[in-house]
Structure formats: structure tokens, C-alpha cells
Amino acid sequence: MPPVTATLIWILVALVAIGLYLSWTAGRLDRLHARIDASRAGLDAQLLRRASVAQELATSGVLDPAASIVLYEAAHAARQAEEEQREVVESELSQALRAVFAEPQQVEAVREAPGGEQATRELTEAVRRVPMARRFHNDSVRAARALRRHRKVRWFRLAGHAPFPLAFEMDDEPPPALADRPA
């Protein structure tokens, strides 16, 4: 076999290997973007659930009028928020929940009302799931960002036209009186 042919074969093998590696990396990036979409949908569902439970509790009549108004307005704003304002209004709902349920006595008063045990359990589950969903989403974003920072991804434009993933940053600290309760 002439040396030129052997060199061309080795070049072809190297190009195929590089192509396979780039294809694998692009597939991995695509899977990460799909995971981000799924985790964002899960986060949105948990945020909506928390706002719905809070709004339902605010209109149930078991809270005092001032607490009902504060909780209802924050929950309504969270449900109606535009995407650009979502992090801010969700943080405000967290703050409203902490203000309304700052004392364990308030949680017990809600629990003792008719249907209050169910409402308290739903709210406790909702405020616990939001931080987990947000953490899962932000971990997915972090992994995709790390891969997108590699030179090979930027040079060969392996991300295509996918937007740069953004983390969801909000205050999701649950009220201590609810966080300490068993679900």
C-alpha cells in the first residue's frame, strides 16, 4: 500500500472519529436541553400547585381577613405573572406564606377548622416540593451551561439555535411552622 493511501486512510479514520465524538456531544447537549424543558414544566406545575393551594386557603374563610387578603393577592399575582416577573412574584408568595404562617398557632388554627387538616397537608406538601423542583431545574441548567462553555461546543455551534439556559432564582424558603410539620 503506498504511503499516501495509508495517510489518507488515517486522516479519514480521524475525521470519522471526530465526527462521531461531535455527534455524541451534540446529542448529549440535546438531551440536557430536553431535561431542562421537562424540569421547568415540573417546576411550573409545583409553583402553580402552591399558588392554587394558597389561594384556596385564602378564600376558605379559616384565616383572619388581613391574612386572607395578603395571601390571596400574593397567590393571585403568582398565578397571573408574566414570565419576566415570575421569579419576583413567586418570591413574594413565599414571603406572604412566611408572614401568614409565622406562628405555629396559625397553622393549628387552620388545621382545626373544617377541612383544615387536608388544606394544611396540601400546603405543606406544596411548599416542600417547590424547592426540590427548583433545585432539580437549576441542576439541569448548570449541567447544560457547563457543557455549552466547552470550546468544541462553541466552535462547532453544537447548541444550534437553542437559547442559553437560565436558572430560576427565587426565595423558596418555606414557613418554619409548615416545614417542621410531617407531611
Side-chain angles (χ1 to χ4, degrees):
M1 181 179 318
V4 174
T5 307
T7 304
L8 288 176
I9 289 174
W10 282 112
I11 290 173
L12 184 62
V13 167
L15 288 175
V16 168
I18 290 170
L20 287 173
Y21 178 70
L22 291 175
S23 175
W24 175 81
T25 303
R28 180 171 170 231
L29 190 58
D30 187 52
R31 287 187 301 277
L32 284 171
H33 281 267
R35 192 169 108 190
I36 288 171
D37 291 343
S39 65
R40 180 58 191 244
L43 175 61
D44 287 342
Q46 293 305 323
L47 291 171
L48 180 62
R49 181 172 185 250
R50 181 181 76 153
S52 297
V53 170
Q55 198 170 23
E56 185 178 313
L57 189 60
T59 58
S60 68
V62 286
L63 298 173
D64 64 87
S68 292
I69 290 171
V70 166
L71 196 56
Y72 179 82
E73 287 179 355
H76 180 71
R79 290 185 67 176
Q80 302 297 318
E82 296 292 325
E83 192 59 37
E84 302 82 41
Q85 297 297 315
R86 190 89 188 268
E87 294 172 347
V88 173
V89 295
E90 292 294 348
S91 294
E92 290 171 355
L93 177 56
S94 295
Q95 293 164 1
L97 285 166
R98 282 197 305 272
V100 170
F101 296 106
E103 301 296 323
Q105 295 85 357
Q106 180 71 8
V107 176
E108 290 305 315
V110 170
R111 212 174 123 250
E112 292 170 3
E117 184 67 40
Q118 172 84 12
T120 304
R121 186 172 34 257
E122 287 179 15
L123 186 60
T124 301
E125 288 174 5
V127 299
R128 284 185 180 164
R129 288 180 179 170
V130 166
M132 288 187 289
R134 187 177 74 85
R135 207 169 305 121
F136 183 70
H137 172 71
N138 287 348
D139 287 346
S140 299
V141 167
R142 201 172 2 265
R145 281 180 169 182
L147 185 57
R148 286 183 71 153
R149 279 192 206 105
H150 289 130
R151 278 188 222 132
K152 66 180 176 270
V153 173
R154 290 192 322 262
W155 288 350
F156 292 101
R157 301 180 187 265
L158 298 180
H161 296 290
F164 195 75
L166 299 174
F168 194 87
E169 298 300 333
M170 64 172 270
D171 173 8
D172 59 4
E173 185 69 30
L178 288 175
D180 296 339
R181 291 185 47 80

